[in-house]
Every structure is written in structure tokens, then in C-alpha cells.
Amino acid sequence: MKTGLETLILPAGQAGAEAAARTLRAGGLVAFPTETVYGLGADAANAAAIAHLYAAKGRPAFNPLIAHVADLAAARRIGRFDSRALRLAEAFWPGPLTLVVPKTDDCPVADLATAGLDTVAIRIPDHPVAQAILRAFGGAVVAPSANISGHVSPTLAAHVETDLSGRIDLIVDGGPVAVGVESTIVGCFAAPMLLRPGGLSRERIEAALGMALERPPAEAENDDSQPLAPGMLASHYAPRANVRLNARDVAPGEALLAFGPARLPGLEAAAAVMNLSPAADLDEAAANLFGYLRALDARSPRAIAVMTVPEDDLGEAINDRLRRAAVAR
């Protein structure tokens, strides 16, 4: 991996969007905020730029990327939408939903970005900075989370700088993100399938479709298999410290990622404590998840104990990320 690049950091605004578009056209890498997490963008049609992106992240080349576009017309230039896919797009775009659809015959997205699949993952982000960059650039931008692969996803420009300074060309600082977990991914197959829970709940999607979403086959989340969609590797979103789920106490030297008002035995001996939401609000917990995991991990605890988070609504996505963070490495 080539390091030693001068990573420029610019505030959000017209000048930042124009600089980002110029950098993308030149084959460079640009980190920018979406409503979910900060993404690391590259020209979706430029295989060399995408290879540089994989290298900058240390991302497995068989893990597909999401193509971000400015509007539905742009999305339909790269993917084929059946009636169900179109219904979801019209209901939830722009927003934290990614749709996996068949590629169009003349889809410009590089094969490297789709990991050799005949489908493409597409999203229209609901963030003014992301929208300004996409419109200034004028094409599709692949943008996985702007972090070293497997690390906790970034919710602040400072998180991106910590992981990727010297590896990428530009960071556009748009402040903290709102949602805090990645987009929900739905495969628009013969039977619509929830491929990754995220910032849009299963319940809302199923209500819009009028039917239940299928679950992916168990083997789809094996680290040795090719994933059906981005973010499906079993070991993902991992801090350096081991993560202990459903903690009912805190061992000496552990950090605690708490949820809700309850106090666990051993709290006084914790290396550090952060509460995703003292009020047990799942939206607040999702927004805080990655930032708090990073902050606790920076304290170098013997482990990170995590209190139980309910599976309701965004809790499904939060628990998905926590389970991946806890996979033995």
C-alpha cells in the first residue's frame, strides 16, 4: 500500500464539494459524510482508483462496494429495478437503504467494485454534503466506510483521519453523522432478502413491500465465502480489544459499553464506561455506537463488556454490528 500522501482536510461547502469532484475525476480517494457513516469515495467507473481504495482500507477484493448516486435516474443507469425495487427506492431514497439489483447491460461500474457479481449495490444518500459531491462529480461513487477494513466505522472526520491519514487524498469534514450505523441492504431477488440490517428498520421495509423479507443463507456470512453484499463478512467492525456481549457484570480492567439506566456489578473497577443511551433510546444508541467503541478501544482495556441491547427496530442493526465486533480473531 502506498502511504505518505498528503491528506487534505476541507470543511463542507461548495469549495469542498468542487475539490472532492476534481479529486475523484483524477482517480483520487475522498472521504465524506453520509447520514449513516463517513464513506471513502472513488470513481465507480475507475478500476485503478477502486484498487487503490481496496488497498487503502486493506479490504478483501471479493467484498463488493456500494455505488452512491445523486438521484433515481442515475441509479437506473447502472441497475435494473423491478416493481418491488422501485417501490422501495421511491419510498426510502434518499436515505439509509441500499438496494442490490441486476446490473444494466451498459453498467459503467467497474467489475472490481461489484466483486465479479452480476448485481450492483446502489444507494442515494440523504446528506447535503454527500449530495453536493455527487452532483458536482456527475457520476457514481463507490464509498465503503472510511476506515481500515475491520476497524470500527467512522462517524466523525477525526475518526477518518486517525485511520486513513497518509493513505487518501481528501477528507471533507461535515461534522458528526446522524444515523451512526451503515445502510440497511436489501437484495431485490425473486424474493426480497434482508442482506444487512442497518439504519432503516426491517419493519418499515416490510410495511412498504407488504411482505416479509427473506433471510440470507447461513453460509453467506462465512468469512471464506463470497458475500452477497457489502458488509457481510462475519468478522467486521472490530476494535482491537475483545468484545464480550450481553454482559451482566464488569470484570476488573474491562471497559463497559452500557445501554439504559441499569448499573452493573463491578462498575467501579471498569477501565472506562460509556453509555450508548442512558434513556435506552435505540436511535441515540445507533448514532453513538461506533464512536463509543472507538473511544473505549483507545483506552486499551483488557476487553470491552457490552450490555444487552434489545433487538427491536434499530436494535437489530446495532446487535448485528456488535456480534461482528465480537467474532474471535
Side-chain angles (χ1 to χ4, degrees):
M1 167 62 206
K2 180 179 71 173
T3 58
L5 289 173
E6 180 183 356
T7 300
L8 183 63
I9 303 175
L10 293 176
Q14 183 176 351
E18 291 173 353
R22 288 194 300 271
T23 301
L24 291 166
R25 290 189 199 103
L29 302 182
V30 178
F32 58 90
T34 76
E35 75 278 23
T36 56
V37 299
Y38 272 73
L40 179 59
D43 178 356
N46 185 332
I50 294 165
H52 182 194
L53 184 153
Y54 279 128
K57 283 182 59 71
R59 188 179 177 95
F62 54 82
N63 199 4
L65 304 174
I66 298 172
H68 294 67
V69 295
D71 52 39
L72 183 55
R76 299 185 80 167
R77 285 194 285 273
I78 63 176
R80 299 201 305 272
F81 288 70
D82 63 16
S83 60
R84 290 172 179 159
L86 193 58
R87 188 183 314 164
L88 292 178
E90 291 173 340
F92 298 116
W93 278 353
L97 174 67
T98 293
L99 298 178
V100 178
V101 298
K103 292 191 288 191
T104 57
D105 292 340
D106 56 352
C107 176
V109 177
D111 287 342
L112 185 59
T114 61
L117 300 173
D118 59 4
T119 54
V120 60
I122 309 174
R123 184 163 91 88
I124 301 176
D126 186 18
H127 193 289
V129 176
Q131 280 282 330
I133 290 171
L134 290 167
R135 293 190 183 284
F137 177 62
V141 173
V142 291
S145 56
N147 58 294
I148 298 295
S149 188
H151 285 196
V152 178
S153 296
T155 55
L156 294 170
H159 297 159
V160 181
E161 184 179 10
T162 296
D163 264 17
L164 297 177
S165 182
R167 290 171 172 254
I168 67 176
D169 300 277
L170 175 62
I171 300 170
V172 179
D173 186 351
V177 302
V179 176
V181 292
E182 290 87 348
S183 61
T184 302
I185 302 180
V186 172
C188 298
F189 309 136
M193 182 180 292
L194 181 65
L195 298 177
R196 181 182 75 182
L200 182 67
S201 71
R202 171 198 298 272
E203 290 84 355
R204 291 185 63 194
I205 297 167
E206 290 179 340
L209 284 174
M211 62 185 299
L213 291 167
E214 297 288 325
R215 294 183 181 273
E219 63 270 17
E221 296 204 8
N222 184 315
D223 269 2
D224 295 325
S225 66
Q226 173 153 319
L228 296 171
M232 291 187 67
L233 293 181
S235 178
H236 208 53
Y237 318 107
R240 291 182 296 272
N242 289 331
V243 174
R244 182 168 68 89
L245 301 179
N246 300 314
R248 297 185 178 182
D249 56 18
V250 187
E254 285 188 326
L256 175 65
L257 186 64
F259 177 81
R263 291 176 59 85
L264 298 189
L267 186 66
E268 297 76 12
V273 179
M274 299 191 80
N275 196 320
L276 291 171
S277 175
D281 182 286
L282 289 170
D283 287 352
E284 181 183 19
N288 289 331
L289 176 61
F290 289 131
Y292 284 12
L293 273 176
R294 279 181 175 269
L296 292 176
D297 199 38
R299 300 289 293 271
S300 300
R302 58 178 289 190
I304 299 174
V306 183
M307 289 175 64
T308 299
V309 177
E311 286 279 346
D312 303 332
D313 296 321
L314 285 184
E316 184 178 18
I318 293 168
N319 283 305
D320 174 80
R321 303 310 187 274
L322 288 171
R323 283 190 290 269
R324 293 172 189 273
V327 169
R329 302 181 293 284

